[in-house]
Amino acid sequence: MLRIGFYTPTVMLTSELSDISIFTDQEAVDFSLYAAGIEVLSGRYYALNGSIRICDIAPLIESAICGNTDSLLADCEIEVYAGSETATHDFQVLYCDKDLGLADPMEWLSQNFLTLIPYRRIAPDGFFEVQWYAADREGISFMVYCTFLNDKGVQDTYNYVQSGNGLVQHGAGICREIVLLREVAAKVKSSRKIESLTLQSVTVRRGDRLLTVFVDPSLSGIVPFHYANCFNVVESLALPRITTEKIKVDNSIASLGKSSRFYDVNVSKEYEVEMGPLTSDECSQVEQMLTSAQVRIPWGFFSSLDEIDFYALTQIMITDFTSELSDTDEKMNKVKFTWRFMDNRPKLPLQSSPGIFNDSYNPVFS
């Protein structure tokens, strides 16, 4: 007799995975667990009173899929062998590194994008990404609704289908859309035949799923932090902040006769950030960013603040933080954290002043 006791619904969040029970009349079994085609655990387990329990498999599965923000779902398989008997169990998991209390997440997934933040604010030239779990035969039309001030200063609205009009999902899976505010503005201008407008908010909808961003001009020019949220989906956070650069040199001194020299010199650079004030939604964003496995920023002479390729950005590490977020109305929430680039060599930005010279050199600019 060989039986696997492990219940999972159609799709399971990794944070909600239970222990695996194996029931057998054999002395021992050979066990293997695979996630996304990778063997994450294997070994021989000995039975106690006819049963075996394998605990805490979630971190093993998460480590196999957390490195790729384009792959949120993983097909998993349990294989158990005992003598000539074999038992297997297949299941599918969705990455989630936070406990959400969803034993059966299908209802929540049908009504929400893969984010805990239904409202956020971004710069006028920004963008945002949404992903969602689409069930088989579910409609996938992706709607965009926007509120704006037209060229006469009058508030107006406009909506359109960005993708998937009349289409359905073939086989359950993850869908993804990126919304660029400059493209939304261009769409409205073209449709309404106006020269200029000011976007105020953009709401995206897929079925019962909704997400709204509010356009905040005060965030223009602020370098955003891009991070993998608790579902391994890329989110961005660009908020007013004060950054202090801290340079540190570790070295030793060697005495050579009447003089001394530095040796074993290591130069490091860290950035101390105080960010805020924060809304309640942004507090949740900050918490996920501070504990994210991947945080990146646009950096470099040719880097752009609206770069949408997450892996084209420069990876950083948040080395320390102080986060004391309160639900009181007496004071605004702020957070302090320290980060550094993954590369050990300190970085300095290049200054550019394009177009100040023509063919005739002017000594005033020398």
Side-chain angles (χ1 to χ4, degrees), residues 51-211:
S51 67
I52 298 167
R53 174 165 288 189
I54 299 171
C55 305
D56 203 20
I57 63 171
L60 302 175
I61 295 176
E62 289 170 358
S63 65
I65 60 179
C66 71
N68 185 0
T69 58
D70 295 325
S71 180
L72 313 184
L73 280 173
D75 293 320
C76 302
E77 183 181 8
I78 299 169
E79 294 182 352
V80 182
Y81 302 93
S84 60
E85 294 184 277
T86 302
T88 62
H89 179 75
D90 298 329
F91 60 100
Q92 192 174 57
V93 295
L94 176 66
Y95 182 94
C96 180
D97 63 8
K98 299 291 188 292
D99 187 350
L100 305 182
L102 298 173
D104 188 347
M106 289 306 299
E107 181 178 0
W108 188 88
L109 291 173
S110 68
Q111 299 174 1
N112 294 271
F113 292 110
L114 294 176
T115 178
L116 303 182
I117 316 300
Y119 305 99
R120 61 188 70 164
R121 51 177 171 152
I122 63 176
D125 55 350
F127 69 93
F128 61 97
E129 174 183 336
V130 291
Q131 296 193 46
W132 68 95
Y133 178 84
D136 187 34
R137 309 304 299 173
E138 175 186 333
I140 57 174
S141 59
F142 186 77
M143 297 290 300
V144 177
Y145 304 82
C146 63
T147 302
F148 62 95
L149 298 176
N150 61 24
D151 51 2
K152 297 179 180 179
V154 178
Q155 190 178 68
D156 200 354
T157 61
Y158 182 73
N159 65 83
Y160 61 94
V161 180
Q162 177 166 306
S163 66
N165 191 15
L167 301 181
V168 297
Q169 177 76 12
H170 295 284
I174 300 296
C175 294
R176 176 191 185 194
E177 287 289 338
I178 295 178
V179 179
L180 291 85
L181 295 194
R182 65 172 182 270
E183 292 186 356
V184 175
K187 187 85 173 179
V188 177
K189 289 178 185 178
S190 174
S191 175
R192 293 299 172 87
K193 311 298 182 185
I194 56 178
E195 294 294 330
S196 63
L197 60 83
T198 302
L199 279 177
Q200 294 182 308
S201 69
V202 175
T203 297
V204 294
R205 179 181 178 183
R206 163 71 289 281
D208 294 333
R209 306 173 184 89
L210 288 171
L211 185 144

Side-chain angles (χ1 to χ4, degrees), residues 2 12 17 35 41 71 75 100 110-111 116 123 135 142 149 173 186 197 199 228 242 251 274-275 281 286 314:
L2 184 61
M12 191 74 176
L17 286 171
L41 181 64
S71 180
D75 293 320
L100 305 182
S110 68
Q111 299 174 1
L116 303 182
F142 186 77
L149 298 176
L197 60 83
L199 279 177
I242 298 173
N251 54 51
E274 181 175 349
M275 179 183 289
D281 286 318
V286 165
T314 303

Side-chain angles (χ1 to χ4, degrees), residues 113 128 136 155 237 254 257 261 325 332 338 345 347 356:
F113 292 110
F128 61 97
D136 187 34
Q155 190 178 68
L237 188 61
R261 296 288 186 274
L325 305 175
M332 300 297 289
T338 302
R345 189 180 296 274
K347 298 181 183 294
I356 65 171

